[in-house]
Amino acid sequence: MTAPTTKNMDDIVALARRRGFIWQSSEIYGGINGFWDYGPLGALLKKNLKDAWWTDIIECPPDGPDGHPLQMVPVDCTIIMNPKVWVASGHVGTFADPMRKCKRCGHFVRADHLWDILAQDCKWFDNLLQEFTPVTGEVDSPRLMKWAKGKGKKLAPNLALVRNPEVTLSWLAQRINGQPDAPPELREMVRYFATEQLHAEGLQDPCPVCGGELDEPRPFTLMFESHAGLSQNDDNKVYLRPETAQGIFTQFWNVVDTSRVRVPFGIAQQGKAFRNEVTPRNFTFRSREFEQMEIEFFIHPSEADQWYAWWRDSRFQWWQDVGLAGENLILREHDKDELAHYAKEGAGTSDVEYRFPFTAPGFGELEGVAHRTDFDLRQHAEHCGKGEKMRYFDQEKNERYFPHVIEPSAGADRGTLALLCEAYTPTPDRSGSKAIMKFTPRMAPIKAGIFPLVNKDGMPEIAEKLYKQLRRKYVVQTDAKQSIGKRYARMDEAGTPYCFTIDGDTLTDQTVTVRERDTAGQERVALDRIEAFLDEKIGG
């Protein structure tokens, strides 16, 4: 598969800010890293994605592999739960990332993300790459020396190459001359640039911020901590949930007792989750506060293979249906060595992945589909003290067991970002807007613009009447300011699929001009047929 032309992420972020899709949280105070706010258009786009998921999963679920409609019920669980929940789930003991601290500037970086960050989001590394050719092993010492004493001092003041270029380059020269048939690869060469005391400390890894040496990896908990009650001590410590799934698992038995559901059935939830990412990056892709759309589908253990395959394929198809159809979307099955502890004995784990501009030519996860076996229900049954008494009774099979779980877990923020990236379409040769947002009509924040051609001759009154009629069902806007071309351009950047213009002919024949976003093509439609037109195009 060949990679499509990469879109410029800076251009997408600029449009998102300018048009009110996404802003940095508390921006007037300098913002806060890893937190984002959705503006008017972004809030509508994200709501449309969440509403589509809610409708397609809970209100109108499809038929399962057995040919019967899925049984799905929703819950809305609290962000803060009894801390014992997170002990049982394993988060308190194991939910940590390996972190490394710069010995010179104090910056923390995830050990397993270091080289990705250097390659994708490090100014000094990108600038330094232009000064040597790691593929051939050629090193131009005078050129590197010049960089170290010039740009390097500003970009990476704590890099060993900058602090002591003569010594650092001498170590590298010894390595190259000592093994002339095996020139150092890029990563090794960069480690030499970060090393001053080779014999005393060995090769060092550089800090992405200042170039200084990083210490050894140490675990860092990802859960935000707080306290419930007056006393600020460990007895009252609570956590902001790092996932929504555990609320579903702890309420499984209440759902069974109070709802007319039986295995196989699913519990679904949308809600906020929080992870104290040390290196949040790539716009909203890796944030500290995010929203999940999660399903826990409970099945008989013997049916795991069938249900896992069905959920994997149906979730991949759903993302295509909402606007991500094409070569930027893939379904990737996990290798055995990357499976989570709760899935190692299961039918498998897959990720629906999207090729974001910042991951290209690679992909980033949108949704994971995992067979979690019966790990979670068993853990909570044991930790609450009831153990085997908590087994589910299957009347049809006359059997008691802990159901297995297929978990499709999607990110609403990542999904919204993928829709933004997919929709962004540069149009340099088009008059008016230089980029349009090609959302599918179902996802578009604004479904239609309603414009009087001129702000007189009864046209504004007709536009106002049509606006009030359509807004009962669809998000629409009316606008009478500036030229019609500029109004079209504003709607193109907002991703509005259709614009209706009331003109002189409307007054005589009761028709309006419908202008289509993607082609800029126009046609006439009867005024009393506009709502039916939108119903057909959008699905009312």
Side-chain angles (χ1 to χ4, degrees):
M1 180 186 296
T2 58
T5 303
T6 302
K7 299 176 183 179
N8 188 310
M9 194 65 205
D10 289 340
D11 292 339
I12 296 173
V13 172
L15 183 141
R17 188 186 187 286
R18 184 178 73 254
R19 292 311 315 270
F21 282 98
I22 300 174
W23 300 312
Q24 190 172 22
S25 174
S26 50
E27 186 177 282
I28 62 172
Y29 293 102
I32 177 170
N33 198 17
F35 296 90
W36 301 90
D37 293 337
Y38 289 83
L41 290 180
L44 288 169
L45 176 63
K46 185 178 177 182
K47 181 179 184 298
N48 288 345
L49 180 67
K50 291 164 54 182
D51 286 351
W53 183 91
W54 191 271
T55 298
D56 298 343
I57 292 298
I58 297 173
E59 295 176 346
C60 303
D63 292 346
D66 55 5
H68 299 295
L70 301 186
Q71 293 184 89
M72 298 294 303
V73 294
V75 294
D76 185 2
C77 301
T78 59
I79 289 171
I80 294 176
M81 295 185 284
N82 189 308
K84 293 179 181 178
V85 169
W86 307 111
V87 174
S89 68
H91 285 82
V92 170
T94 63
F95 197 56
D97 281 337
M99 303 305 304
R100 302 182 70 177
K101 182 180 180 181
C102 178
K103 297 178 181 178
R104 297 186 179 269
C105 75
H107 176 75
F108 283 93
V109 61
R110 273 185 62 168
D112 54 341
H113 287 178
L114 171 61
W115 292 96
D116 287 339
I117 294 171
L118 286 169
Q120 300 173 12
D121 195 25
C122 178
K123 291 182 180 179
W124 71 256
F125 183 81
D126 181 63
N127 193 263
L128 179 59
L129 282 180
Q130 302 172 33
E131 306 299 325
F132 66 97
T133 52
V135 174
T136 62
E138 296 176 10
V139 174
D140 187 336
S141 293
R143 187 176 176 183
L144 287 169
M145 189 84 70
K146 181 180 178 181
W147 181 87
K149 295 180 178 180
K151 293 180 180 178
K153 281 191 173 182
K154 181 182 293 185
L155 297 174
N158 292 322
L159 188 68
L161 176 64
V162 174
R163 298 195 319 269
N164 198 340
E166 292 84 0
V167 170
T168 302
L169 289 174
S170 71
W171 295 128
L172 181 58
Q174 289 182 31
R175 160 65 177 87
I176 293 173
N177 294 332
Q179 303 178 55
D181 297 330
E185 296 181 350
L186 173 61
R187 188 172 297 192
E188 183 184 0
M189 194 174 292
V190 172
R191 296 184 76 200
Y192 269 99
F193 292 151
T195 301
E196 186 175 4
Q197 304 293 331
L198 179 61
H199 293 317
E201 300 178 354
L203 287 177
Q204 301 295 302
D205 290 326
C207 169
V209 174
C210 75
E213 309 94 326
L214 297 174
D215 65 8
E216 292 301 311
R218 293 183 176 85
F220 174 85
T221 182
L222 294 176
M223 286 197 292
F224 282 102
E225 297 179 359
S226 186
H227 296 86
L230 294 176
S231 300
Q232 307 290 297
N233 54 42
D234 287 346
D235 291 339
N236 289 329
K237 182 188 293 185
V238 293
Y239 303 95
L240 302 188
R241 65 184 180 193
E243 64 178 26
T244 61
Q246 298 306 319
I248 295 176
F249 291 127
T250 59
Q251 296 297 354
F252 165 81
W253 293 275
N254 279 333
V255 169
V256 170
D257 289 343
T258 60
S259 305
R260 295 180 62 82
V261 292
R262 64 180 186 275
V263 171
F265 75 93
I267 305 176
Q269 178 173 206
Q270 294 179 356
K272 293 276 191 179
F274 306 83
R275 295 183 184 178
N276 192 17
E277 297 281 357
V278 177
T279 54
R281 55 197 170 97
N282 292 331
F283 204 24
T284 58
F285 181 80
R286 190 174 298 282
S287 303
R288 289 173 170 144
E289 177 181 333
F290 53 95
E291 196 158 3
Q292 292 183 304
M293 306 181 295
E294 282 199 306
I295 305 160
E296 307 301 335
F297 197 79
F298 300 93
I299 58 173
H300 189 275
S302 66
E303 299 174 349
D305 289 339
Q306 177 189 30
W307 279 105
Y308 166 70
W310 184 88
W311 274 110
R312 177 197 63 203
D313 297 341
S314 65
R315 294 307 302 151
F316 181 57
Q317 182 61 51
W318 185 85
W319 283 106
Q320 296 176 66
D321 293 342
V322 297
L324 300 182
E327 58 189 345
N328 284 328
L329 194 75
I330 63 168
L331 181 64
R332 185 182 70 86
E333 192 84 20
H334 281 211
D335 295 330
K336 289 293 184 182
D337 60 358
E338 54 179 330
L339 293 177
H341 59 89
Y342 52 72
K344 287 188 181 297
E345 304 301 323
T349 297
S350 297
D351 285 343
V352 179
E353 297 183 338
Y354 179 77
R355 185 179 2 232
F356 293 93
F358 48 78
T359 63
F363 296 79
E365 180 188 347
L366 280 183
E367 176 167 358
V369 180
H371 174 207
R372 296 182 68 114
T373 65
D374 60 358
F375 173 82
D376 299 276
L377 293 183
R378 280 190 177 277
Q379 284 292 107
H380 289 298
E382 291 173 9
H383 278 76
C384 77
K386 297 182 180 179
E388 295 295 313
K389 296 178 182 178
M390 301 289 281
R391 289 179 300 166
Y392 169 79
F393 178 64
D394 191 326
Q395 292 183 339
E396 188 173 308
K397 292 182 170 57
N398 193 30
E399 180 183 356
R400 289 191 177 275
Y401 56 88
F402 284 102
H404 279 213
V405 171
I406 307 297
E407 178 192 68
S409 176
D413 300 275
R414 288 187 179 185
T416 302
L417 180 58
L419 292 177
L420 277 171
C421 293
E422 184 72 14
Y424 182 83
T425 307
T427 53
D429 300 327
R430 189 168 180 168
S431 61
S433 55
K434 298 306 178 184
I436 64 176
M437 301 298 287
K438 290 188 176 182
F439 299 116
T440 60
R442 189 183 186 192
M443 292 296 104
I446 303 168
K447 307 304 184 190
I450 303 167
F451 305 143
L453 184 61
V454 294
N455 201 19
K456 59 182 180 179
D457 299 333
M459 297 181 200
E461 289 77 11
I462 296 175
E464 183 72 13
K465 181 179 179 181
L466 180 60
Y467 164 72
K468 289 183 177 179
Q469 172 195 342
L470 295 179
R471 72 179 183 179
R472 294 174 299 179
K473 185 181 292 187
Y474 299 110
V475 176
V476 296
Q477 282 190 0
T478 183
D479 189 355
K481 295 181 179 180
Q482 297 186 306
S483 69
I484 192 67
K486 289 184 177 180
R487 284 181 273 174
Y488 285 156
R490 283 199 294 271
M491 288 292 98
D492 287 345
E493 285 192 335
T496 305
Y498 305 104
C499 291
F500 301 100
T501 301
I502 289 84
D503 53 27
D505 291 340
T506 307
L507 305 176
T508 58
D509 64 9
Q510 294 294 293
T511 64
V512 302
T513 297
V514 180
R515 189 255 195 187
E516 199 271 336
R517 174 198 64 207
D518 296 347
T519 65
Q522 300 184 4
E523 63 176 302
R524 301 294 293 189
V525 173
L527 186 60
D528 61 3
R529 288 286 303 159
I530 291 177
E531 185 171 340
F533 175 91
L534 287 178
D535 288 347
E536 178 184 343
K537 298 291 186 180
I538 298 172

